[in-house]
Amino acid sequence: MATAQEKATLSQTASENPISSKSSAAAMATLIHDSLSDSAPSATTKTTAATPVMSRAQTCHPLDPLMAAEIAVAVATVRAAGKTPEVRDSMRFIEVVLVEPDKNVVALADAYYFPPFQPSLLPKTKGRPVIPTKLPPRQARLVVYNKKSNETSIWTVELSEVHAATRGGHHRGKVISSKVVPDVQPPMDAEEYAECEAVVKDYPPFQEAMRKRGIVDMDLVMVDPWCVGYHSEADAPRRRLAKPLIFCRTESDCPLDNGYARPVEGIHVLVDMQNMVVIEFEDRKLVPLPPADPLRNYTAGETRGGVDRSDVKPLQIIQPEGPSFRVSGHFVNWQKWNFRIGFTPREGLVIYSVAYLDGSQGRRPVAHRLSFVEMVVPYGDPNDPHYRKNAFDAGEDGLGKNAHSLKKGCDCLGYIKYFDAHFTNFTGGVETIENCVCLHEEDHGILWKHQDWRTGLAEVRRSRRLTVSFVCTVANYEYGFFWHFYQDGKIEAEVKLTGVLSLGALQPGEARKYGTMIAPGLYAPVHQHFFVARMDMAVDCKPGEAFNQVVEMNVKVEEPGKDNVHNNAFYPEEELLRTESQAMRDCNPLSARHWIIRNTRTVNRTGQLTGYKLVPGSNCLPLARPEAKFLRRAAFLKHNLWVTPYARDEMYPGGEFPNQNPRAGEGLATWVKQNRSIEETNIVLWYVFGVTHIPRLEDWPVMPVEHVGFMLMPHGFFNCSPAVDVPPSTGDCELKDAVTPTKPIQHPLIAKL
């Protein structure tokens, strides 16, 4: 709520400067009303008898990720709200994330509070615009697990005030709301995984089972806890459960040894993660350990037991004048593109407020929010334990929480801007991943070229792209998530898959058709990787506008007859997707199917509606029968494309808590049953894309990167190619022959002739 002085100022300004039209008046009223919080403090410092309270300066953009200090304040606030010491001590913090404000608050911030100051985002008014004295306070949303009661709760904390003297000397904010969510289990945490490994390795029946397999050194053993999923009522969320996979390294004194090369099979373990006890154990079948594979390791040179190539010459990426991008906080400008970078524990990288500066047309929005919201990895082997392997790596673990510090390798090359990421750990401490997100430019080959055969004159331009990325490890697999921005207006989403295969052991003489034998006694099961990109689109829509629609385009072959006398005719045919049920679609490469997000109120110079099209890359659907257990929780995998109208609470396609979720079809598959209209509204695209992995010997001991993704391309958005004004390259483009021997090299038999 505004202060009395602010209200008087706003009232006077409104009476002196009436809004030019009813629609803009309503829009402005919404902007101002929603931008002022009931609890917004005044700009002056307040004091109470017991506690000094200082209003925070407006230093963070409303979409900036939470700072480490804000996370600490949020955690301390929730912990202090616990009714008893026992409750406070039992709190475990799954995630603390920014409560993203309404889009009109973001517009207000971009217009008047933060560079590059874009007042054109707001409706025009006569006279001076009405500007509140400050933005609403930032808020944090916390998912808290109570380890004693096995309850999950969601809290909202306001971060507008910092109290210098509270219980235990901690700072705290203000609790806005809290609620217990019944019948769910939140994501697992790395601290739980480490504790689970220790509990299993200390369990006497487990040690005896390992001795039967010739293993007495427990330091060799690796216990990878996996969420149990939901296969029957035994997996219901009344208990917090994990079913570990067991592996065994060959050399205890070698930390570089690849332990995934020796899976231990035949042992059933079920762990109660709430109380950290083994509640089920059975040594079902004595499967011999695979023999030590001499090709199992992947580290450099002698540490691998091999020799590295010696003929790789240095390749340097040099930008003597620095990069072409500019960064202010989390705001990025590059080659007419601008956007903001965010990060969450669950999704990892988030791209906000994507727009293109298009000459006299100014800033043209493309999307409000882009991110990868879920991924699922179902395995195709019906044998135990592989049939239970269907990980929800975002919803059960968190892509962001498993991200790497990119200081440790050459993930990015060139002139790099890094962004740190801050998280809460399980007990509420704040941890920082330094250099978590990488921003850099890449040369991407030829952008365009033409040579006039009459004159011999040639024009060629090099393509440059801006790449924003992060990499995470979930157990044995690595995933790199990339958003590429191009000079011709394209946006590419790409996932790079690498890491180590999740393997199984075979009995002597055994073979399985559900995988590939990659070494004696060792095989890799077939599996699939699915990713879900959520795209809150805003093609040519300013804040408050909802003028987007989705059209499906298929190429048709003309029927024989007078319109196709040469039998060569084909044409694109479009269909407007009007409702959610109509917009559950699959890829079809036979008809070059793609989808166009159009603005219904904006046209280009030929009178066509402006738009961006989603162009699929290689893709697949689940290779499982409809009754497959994992599809209860992953019903969103049944189609490649879903379209919904924007709803604030619809963020995750499998629901917020897919871990041990007993409710079939929760999330996207349930939301679309409302069959809401998607004509001329705020469109959200959910694109499901994946890869079917039939392992090869060449994927061992570490997989070369496999790529999968899609493209967002302008479709009538511009009046001509936006890449035509890219200047010729000024770098070293001279033709240089590779160094060749001074004398021709001949085969000895040829030399004798």
Side-chain angles (χ1 to χ4, degrees), residues 218 316 572 622:
M218 285 295 110
Q316 297 180 340

Side-chain angles (χ1 to χ4, degrees), residues 61 133 140 179 230 237 269 280 367 389 463 505 529-530 536 559 608 616 656 681 746:
H61 186 277
T133 58
K179 64 177 181 180
Y230 187 85
V269 186
E280 290 182 16
K389 290 158 67 172
S463 175
H529 300 261
F530 290 101
D536 182 356
E559 294 294 330
Q608 302 171 45
E656 182 165 12
T681 188
Q746 294 181 328

Side-chain angles (χ1 to χ4, degrees), residues 48 102 266 312-313 453 476 498 522 560 591 596 677:
T48 64
D102 290 338
V312 180
K313 304 299 182 184
W453 66 270
N476 53 296
T498 181
L522 198 60
S591 66
I596 305 172
S677 171

Side-chain angles (χ1 to χ4, degrees), residues 377-509:
V377 187
Y379 279 69
D381 186 342
N383 295 285
D384 189 43
H386 307 289
Y387 77 94
R388 299 191 69 101
K389 290 158 67 172
N390 43 78
F392 285 61
D393 287 336
E396 292 178 341
D397 288 285
L399 302 178
K401 290 182 74 171
N402 286 285
H404 298 175
S405 170
L406 300 178
K407 296 169 64 175
K408 300 179 179 179
C410 294
D411 300 82
C412 307
L413 293 176
Y415 201 112
I416 303 165
K417 166 64 179 175
Y418 288 110
F419 298 84
D420 295 345
H422 307 291
F423 305 100
T424 177
N425 59 28
F426 202 42
T427 54
V430 181
E431 297 183 355
T432 297
I433 303 177
E434 296 182 345
N435 295 12
C436 184
V437 173
C438 170
L439 173 76
H440 72 292
E441 294 176 287
E442 296 178 342
D443 179 272
H444 195 60
I446 293 177
L447 176 62
W448 58 262
K449 179 174 183 174
H450 180 66
Q451 178 169 314
D452 189 318
W453 66 270
R454 290 182 174 85
T455 64
L457 297 177
E459 291 285 343
V460 62
R461 301 292 186 271
R462 299 290 301 176
S463 175
R464 190 179 300 188
R465 69 182 184 185
L466 184 70
T467 294
V468 196
S469 63
F470 81 104
V471 182
C472 68
T473 297
V474 186
N476 53 296
Y477 258 103
E478 267 73 22
Y479 301 96
F481 296 90
F482 297 77
W483 291 97
H484 305 292
F485 294 83
Y486 291 85
Q487 293 166 305
D488 60 355
K490 295 197 301 284
I491 303 171
E492 182 182 9
E494 181 185 27
V495 181
K496 298 181 180 180
L497 300 81
T498 181
V500 180
L501 295 166
S502 181
L503 304 176
L506 297 175
Q507 296 270 23

Side-chain angles (χ1 to χ4, degrees), residues 51 115 119-120 141 183 216 242 282 287 310 340 355 362 383 398 409 415 435 443 452-453 466 535 693 696-697 703 749:
T51 305
S120 63
R141 184 179 189 271
D183 203 27
V216 294
E282 185 180 356
V287 180
S310 60
R340 290 191 173 275
N383 295 285
Y415 201 112
N435 295 12
D443 179 272
D452 189 318
W453 66 270
L466 184 70
M535 295 168 280
H693 193 182
R696 313 167 297 157
L697 270 68
M703 291 190 310
L749 293 178

Side-chain angles (χ1 to χ4, degrees), residues 51 76-77 79-81 88 163-172:
T51 305
T77 301
R79 183 172 276 139
R88 293 193 288 272
H163 296 247
T166 60
R167 180 186 290 114
H170 295 290
H171 300 297
R172 66 183 177 92

